[in-house]
Amino acid sequence: MKIKENLCTGCGQCEVVCPVQAIQIIDNIAILDNKKCVECNVCYRNAQCPVNAIRPTRLKWPRLIRNPFSDVISTHKLTGVAGRGTEEMKTNDITNRFEFGEIGVSIELGRPGVGTKLANVELFTLKLSKIGVIYEKASPLSALIIDNVGHIKEDVKNEYVLSAIIEFKIPNEKLPEVLRIIKDIENVIDTTFTVGIISRVNDNGKIPVVKNLEDNGFFVRSNAKINIGLGHI
Ligand code: SF4
Ligand code: SF4
């Protein structure tokens, strides 16, 4: 993103909408910090700049990777899905990714207001790959994992994005190992992350994974969600 400082009147409309505080009004001019900017296009779309001073720039690799992980209406080339992740676990009724005996896990790094470097993803993937999790193929993030060890592409590690979602599945019995990894990384990571877990509900209405999580020291807040239209194939 670029702000034409010679046109700017310093109204501040772009400063308030930027989700990562990359714009600051200094001496009545909007100054954009390129290092912080995640290329989400929110200032361009939503600030309604009165003098049309905000212009998207043609992004080159690796900076280009910032946009699909930050712009909710950008369609990722790999998945064809608009938004930062895939249609993932919300669509299980139709996609059937997670069978009985399996658990789906999503780890979303960064959030609006915080963001994350893609290097943080590798903190997880190096450990998760070691225990043999199965990454979601349609996830844009999985395309950045380049080997069985869990390394991610070297040239994207310093790129800063609004959020990135690691999606994978495991057999039920691997859950304690995954939870241990999550606890370990919580102590060293420099951004926020959210863990989502999905398992099928038994015929008796019980969700077996809940006890497993509680036994491992996690507070569980069950959440049901209905998405109309997602996951249709
Ligand atoms: S919205 Fe436009 S005029 Fe207002 S501060 Fe931002 S760039 Fe300057
Ligand atoms: S593109 Fe997004 S992150 Fe960059 S300055 Fe605009 S609102 Fe902020």
Side-chain angles (χ1 to χ4, degrees), residues 1 3 14 17-23 32-33 36-44 54:
M1 194 58 65
I3 293 181
C14 54
V17 298
C18 177
V20 290
Q21 298 86 47
I23 302 173
L32 194 154
D33 182 340
K36 276 189 175 177
C37 172
V38 293
E39 305 291 357
C40 68
N41 285 323
V42 166
C43 55
Y44 177 63
I54 305 171

